[in-house]
Amino acid sequence: MTLLPETARQFDAQVAQAQVDGRAPSLVLGVVRDGTLAHLAAAGEHPRPGVDLQYRLGSISKTMTATLIMQLRDAGRLTVDDPLERHLPGTGVGTLTLRQLLGHASGIQREPEGDWWERTAGADLATLLAGLTADKIAYPPHATYHYSNLAYGLLGGVLERLTGMPWADLLDERILAPLGMRRTTYAATEPFARGYVVHPWHDTLREEPRTDTGAMAPAGQLWSTIEDLGRWAAFLADPDPSVLAAGTLTEMCSPVVIGDLDSWTHGHGLGLELFREGDRVYVGHGGSMPGYIASLAVHRPTRTAVVGFANSYGLRTGHLGALGRRLLTLVLDAEPAPVTPWRPAAAPPPAELAELTGRWWWMGTEIEVYADVAGELHAGRVGAPDLRFVPEGPDRWRGRAGGQDGEILTVLRDEQGRAVALDIATFVHTRTPDQEP
């Protein structure tokens, strides 16, 4: 579904202005809706952007590394609370857990030892691990949000040790190929945009090196296109269960640490950044490598995302992530999701289910219960039933949404077998406010 003309006009105008203000040789942002690239805005001529032109993903690579870790978790090969020592023994930082490393809550220093890893030829895993000592932990775990590229080099090492496969091969086999991301590659593959630093005083371009980052590749190596990054955004909105279970992706979007305790606008889940914009939460990640910046922001409830690239590095274009989130908000505000029409049920629910519907009371407070076509119960304040329960056994239901998520609803019956009360997590609801619970 394409954007409305006025939304597209405003989107394109902001992208064009950002290219000028940021002095970006090329800038491209795309809107993804319901799994497809719905709109593309491109500006700049060095080179002219297109849907199949590669840029460098930078740290968006981390979201795929995290997904590989969670795949192994779901397969029973590890737990996210495993200490690093269990998989990479003898590192000197082995008490840190995989969860802490995934969520940037480990306190480990940001970069590996040696020259700036993003701009120099990368070392192998053995060299990366040899430089680790306990003093690389800058803060106690969970004391603060402390972003770490080094953490993702270590997570890549865990993947290689557990599977016996290089990270790049594992990624291609388990994510890129199944999702059809044929233009997401380890090294730049033509056509690709060269990356630059723009001189601050005379607007000339200096081309940046394109390095193989070695053992740090899981933190930022990959190259991709707007079309492929759109596929990844669509996956984060609504995952292919053959790649990752929907519940696992939801778990990845739950905060491990909050980055700004004063305003709660930024945090990190298990490999995914979390951004609060008003009443909405976006998931995704930013990315940068010498000569490149990238942005990924997804609003999962509406399956809408904005993805973007620029091929220059520096403060003037360093806010591509903020631009992407602002444009995502523009789209969502201008074009809210259509309301799903109400449709009557084809038939009444079974008698044993219908018996549970209607009004119930607890401590003078009324709730209502109704049954849906899937055979689940919904309950809550009259006119606003925000609780959902799924059957778990005879007269036993498990909460799966709302304030009673995970709790048990038990149907209480009299001697004649009639349902006379609902016990919701020990709070007994009766048919009238006059009955004793």
Side-chain angles (χ1 to χ4, degrees), residues 12-13 41 49 64 79 84 131 138 198 237-238 287 324 341 343 363 369 377 382-383 386 412:
D12 293 350
M64 300 180 195
T79 78
L84 184 64
V198 180
D238 185 15
R343 292 183 174 88
M363 299 290 287
V369 175
L377 288 179
V382 175
D386 59 341
L412 305 182

Side-chain angles (χ1 to χ4, degrees), residues 152-223:
Y152 273 76
L154 297 176
L155 289 167
V158 169
L159 290 167
E160 293 196 8
R161 289 282 176 87
L162 271 175
T163 65
M165 294 176 64
W167 172 81
D169 294 346
L170 192 68
L171 179 73
D172 187 65
E173 178 183 290
R174 300 195 177 190
I175 293 179
L176 302 183
L179 296 181
M181 296 171 64
R182 61 176 183 82
R183 288 283 287 148
T184 302
T185 56
Y186 187 91
T189 306
E190 294 285 9
F192 69 89
R194 276 59 183 171
Y196 303 102
V197 169
V198 180
H199 196 283
W201 297 317
H202 47 65
D203 287 350
T204 56
L205 303 179
R206 184 188 74 218
E207 188 173 343
E208 286 294 282
R210 297 176 290 275
T211 57
D212 181 338
T213 55
M216 287 297 293
Q221 174 68 32
L222 295 176
W223 296 74

